[in-house]
Amino acid sequence: MDLFTNQVLAGIATGAIYACMALAVVMIYQAIDHLNFAQGEMAMFSTFVSWQLMQWGVPYWGAFVITLAFAFVGGIVIERVLFKPLAKAPILTNVAGFIALFSIINSSAGLIWDFTIKQYPTPFGSSPFLGSQLISTHQAGMIGVTVLLLIGLFFFFQYTRIGLAMRAAASLPESARLVGINTSWMIALGWGMASAIGAIAGMLIAPVVFLEPNMMGGVLLYGFAAAVLGGLTSPFGAVVGGFLVGIFENLAGTYIPGVGNELKLPIALALIISVLVVKPAGLFGRHIVKRV
Amino acid sequence: MSAAEEVVAEGHEAVEAVPKRAMTLGTGTSVVVLLLLIAVPLFAKNFVIFQLTQLLYLGLAVLALNILTGGSGQFSLGQSAFYGIGAYITAVMMEQFNIPYFLCLPVAGVLCFGVGFLFGQPALRLSGVYLALATFALATAMPQLLKLNFLEPWTGGVQGLVVTKPDAPFGLKMSQDMWLYYFTLVVVLAIYVASVNLLRSRSGRAFMAIRDNEIAASAMGVNVALYKTLAFGVSAAITGVAGGLSAIAVQFVAPDSFTITLAIQLFLGMVVGGVGWLPGSIVGAAFIIFVPNIAEGISKGLSGAVFGVLLFLVIYLVPHGARQLAILGQQLAGRLRKN
């Protein structure tokens, strides 16, 4: 039983990271109807920026805030410069654009900071949490930050004018434009926020997976999986999906014989496909009915 | 832009409709291209011939994806899985059971058809990004599955399997590379012609009806479930044959050659060549083989970034891929003829 609790708690902790990543994925998906394959690389790059700031002597939380601003502006710039011209292009062309962006960021980070693995500090410390042996303070901190982030986003979308405008622009662009919302900038804002949320995920996971240009590959996959599992139209679903994927991944690795570390990812993905076959819009997604 | 225009533009589908006639090259151009494909190896070095062979079988794999996406509108990131299965079936049959290579390829095709058809069954309920994720899962699982312990006596596990290159038959005085090139050319041409005919047939029209509007297609009596899985099966079969050809040409199969990177390359090839335009498959294959080399030549450390920039240039200049260039060329030729 101890093993079980342990694995579930560890799963919740990694799940928090997937949840952050899934939140970022859902943010962009809401804004532009695409999955951004370069999301993980954007987060990785921001994490490197914060690391560099700390190397230059900026304290952790200072670097944290500067990095968030950097990621936010960077996301908006990427949308304005690279993807706005593609807005009318076929979807598959956009996907190719994401892959190109992935390649550019990955290679640039490798050139600037090289491919050696770097230590990344944690602001929470790595001692056991509240004296229990089950999770560390860093893991508890990751869960806390994710929950705070979710609450913050909820209030932003529910109670602020600009949050309302973003929701309107995402659900009915024409009508939103008629009431005077600049939908084009709402999309850019969505990119900026997604990029900043991704940066938070990157900075939280860097102490666990260490810092290197390819660190986000697996995380982004689980983030996608979590977002799809929870429903791509629901930020809340994305977070729940993230925790579920984290827990399931850990339990499957422990209890299903022959799975181990190698088959964890395929098993997690298989679970998600099974869920989708039963519930194609994800657990909390809206089912969109199309007119012919 | 007026709101009305935007509303029209909003219905943009993943795959634009390509008219049936526009899917192939004209007769004249086809003959010229074919003659070039036959003649070039006679004057080229073995390494160049090997690269041309590579171009052909990767082009074949892109063609398979084109039938699935350009034809039936389903989007797959899992083609590397079928490619790997085809390669492994060919390699295992050739090396462990001593079956001649030209018999292995059809077996690989048929078995991959089965796998693709079966995979198409659950995938039926998914579309768009959901289907992309499902096929993606297949692609990530495949290298792990190929490494499984109990398959090791046949597959060689992580080590992979070495394949012997066949000699030219009938005492022909030809290098192995050249023989393999012509053999690949014949296989690829046969499949190309068959694919064109398939897309122009009743089944092909059913695919395209599903691509353009699934609900309307089913209202007209098209068995959507059957044709969608059929498209998956056909695409998997062709990809499997391409994988088999690659195993013979490269003389080696290993689980890590069939990762998601390969699936992404095939996808890029399709987009660069033009979705739904079959001859574009070869152009796309050329892009994914040669552009990384060019990028490496421009800057060693930044080759990935250079590749990304080149890719961005291509999709800005010709968002519909090489097909757009072909259409431009055609219009230009038409204008010249008029003058």
Side-chain angles (χ1 to χ4, degrees):
Chain A
M1 201 59 210
D2 234 20
L3 181 68
F4 180 79
T5 340
N6 215 336
Q7 289 297 327
V8 169
L9 281 173
I12 291 177
T14 42
I17 296 305
Y18 303 155
C20 269
M21 219 49 220
L23 260 179
V25 167
V26 167
M27 288 294 304
I28 286 210
Y29 187 79
Q30 292 279 60
I32 60 173
D33 272 352
H34 295 311
L35 289 178
N36 178 4
F37 290 95
Q39 191 106 55
E41 303 313 285
M42 286 163 60
M44 174 272 292
F45 199 89
S46 305
T47 312
F48 261 113
V49 168
S50 69
W51 178 82
Q52 188 64 58
L53 286 170
M54 280 184 256
Q55 294 295 305
W56 286 335
V58 182
Y60 185 91
W61 291 109
F64 188 86
V65 173
I66 299 174
T67 304
L68 280 197
F70 167 83
F72 185 74
V73 174
I76 290 180
V77 170
I78 289 177
E79 197 277 335
R80 291 282 109 175
V81 176
L82 292 177
F83 287 95
K84 194 162 182 285
L86 289 178
K88 295 269 175 288
I91 291 172
L92 296 184
T93 311
N94 270 288
V95 178
F98 290 129
I99 295 170
L101 181 63
F102 178 100
S103 180
I104 293 174
I105 298 182
N106 188 286
S107 162
S108 313
L111 190 79
I112 303 174
W113 292 290
D114 72 50
F115 285 89
T116 52
I117 292 173
K118 295 175 178 62
Q119 291 275 356
Y120 191 90
T122 158
F124 309 109
S126 47
S127 54
F129 181 60
L130 294 179
S132 87
Q133 295 300 310
L134 294 174
I135 54 173
S136 67
T137 39
H138 179 72
Q139 286 171 318
M142 291 193 321
I143 299 171
V145 171
T146 311
V147 172
L148 278 180
L149 196 61
L150 186 65
I151 295 172
L153 278 178
F154 174 77
F155 277 98
F156 174 75
F157 280 116
Q158 216 64 31
Y159 295 110
T160 62
R161 284 189 73 82
I162 197 151
L164 182 66
M166 280 181 78
R167 281 195 294 149
S171 61
L172 279 174
E174 295 86 43
S175 316
R177 216 172 289 121
L178 284 176
V179 297
I181 293 169
N182 188 339
T183 46
S184 158
W185 271 99
M186 292 301 137
I187 291 174
L189 199 58
W191 268 84
M193 288 178 61
S195 168
I197 297 173
I200 295 178
M203 287 186 276
L204 287 179
I205 199 175
V208 184
V209 297
F210 300 109
L211 188 60
E212 50 117 0
N214 296 320
M215 67 185 240
M216 294 305 277
V219 181
L220 180 67
L221 265 188
Y222 284 113
F224 275 154
V228 171
L229 179 68
L232 277 167
T233 49
S234 156
F236 172 73
V239 170
V240 175
F243 284 121
L244 283 181
V245 170
I247 295 170
F248 181 77
E249 174 208 12
N250 261 319
L251 291 184
T254 318
Y255 289 104
I256 302 178
V259 170
N261 270 329
E262 289 282 277
L263 283 175
K264 256 185 180 179
L265 183 61
I267 288 278
L269 290 169
L271 162 86
I272 289 148
I273 293 168
S274 341
V275 172
L276 285 181
V277 167
V278 182
K279 215 166 167 344
L283 291 176
F284 297 93
R286 268 176 297 124
H287 192 73
I288 298 160
V289 180
K290 273 196 192 134
R291 282 182 66 161
V292 181
Chain B
M1 179 179 285
S2 74
E5 270 177 281
E6 294 248 322
V7 174
V8 175
E10 197 157 24
H12 64 106
E13 298 290 322
V15 182
E16 35 146 12
V18 179
K20 258 187 296 169
R21 263 162 220 248
M23 281 190 156
T24 53
L25 292 172
T27 328
T29 333
S30 307
V31 171
V32 172
V33 171
L34 182 59
L35 286 179
L36 271 177
L37 283 174
I38 294 174
V40 166
L42 299 175
F43 310 101
K45 289 193 193 114
N46 271 344
F47 178 67
V48 178
I49 297 177
F50 169 74
Q51 278 193 322
L52 285 173
T53 315
Q54 202 184 5
L55 186 68
L56 285 178
Y57 64 71
L58 272 177
L60 187 63
V62 178
L63 175 89
L65 183 58
N66 234 332
I67 291 175
L68 184 68
T69 309
S72 80
Q74 300 180 89
F75 171 50
S76 165
L77 274 176
Q79 296 300 103
S80 61
F82 303 122
Y83 193 88
I85 296 176
Y88 260 92
I89 290 172
T90 308
V92 170
M93 282 174 67
M94 278 173 73
E95 295 310 309
Q96 315 283 18
F97 303 103
N98 284 321
I99 297 168
Y101 59 99
F102 48 85
L103 291 180
C104 298
L105 290 175
V107 176
V110 170
L111 289 176
C112 281
F113 179 87
V115 177
F117 192 83
L118 287 179
F119 185 79
Q121 294 292 343
L124 262 182
R125 302 209 45 185
L126 311 171
S127 62
V129 286
Y130 298 100
L131 183 62
L133 189 89
T135 48
F136 189 93
L138 184 68
T140 42
M142 192 48 63
Q144 309 292 358
L145 296 179
L146 291 173
K147 282 179 200 165
L148 284 181
N149 282 337
F150 70 94
L151 289 175
E152 210 166 313
W154 293 289
T155 60
V158 190
Q159 304 287 322
L161 206 59
V162 175
V163 180
T164 32
K165 208 169 225 178
D167 285 317
F170 325 119
L172 282 174
K173 290 222 181 318
M174 229 187 233
S175 70
Q176 287 177 326
D177 283 314
M178 197 184 280
W179 162 247
L180 191 63
Y181 172 82
Y182 283 116
F183 175 75
T184 309
L185 184 62
V186 170
V187 174
V188 171
L189 279 179
I191 294 180
Y192 175 76
V193 172
S195 312
V196 171
N197 283 321
L198 172 75
L199 286 178
R200 285 185 175 159
S201 71
R202 188 187 159 88
S203 310
R205 285 197 303 274
F207 287 166
M208 281 179 253
I210 293 171
R211 173 194 70 189
D212 294 340
N213 195 324
E214 202 174 312
I215 303 169
S218 79
M220 287 190 300
V222 173
N223 185 342
V224 173
L226 176 70
Y227 281 106
K228 274 180 122 174
T229 38
L230 207 59
F232 243 103
V234 170
S235 171
I238 298 176
T239 314
V241 174
L245 286 168
S246 86
I248 305 171
V250 182
Q251 294 176 273
F252 182 61
V253 288
D256 289 329
S257 328
F258 308 109
T259 56
I260 187 70
T261 317
L262 175 67
I264 290 176
Q265 283 180 327
L266 295 177
F267 166 76
L268 288 182
M270 176 179 73
V271 172
V272 169
V275 180
W277 190 54
L278 299 186
S281 307
I282 287 287
V283 183
F287 183 88
I288 54 179
I289 296 174
F290 298 116
V291 171
N293 291 344
I294 298 172
E296 191 103 338
I298 294 176
S299 159
K300 268 230 138 55
L302 272 179
S303 59
V306 175
F307 176 77
V309 171
L310 290 174
L311 185 56
F312 260 123
L313 281 181
V314 170
I315 58 181
Y316 281 145
L317 297 175
V318 279
H320 301 286
R323 186 168 76 90
Q324 212 166 348
L325 291 180
I327 294 171
L328 272 178
Q330 229 169 20
Q331 285 169 344
L332 216 64
R335 209 166 293 163
L336 286 178
R337 218 170 290 156
K338 247 186 227 165
N339 289 342

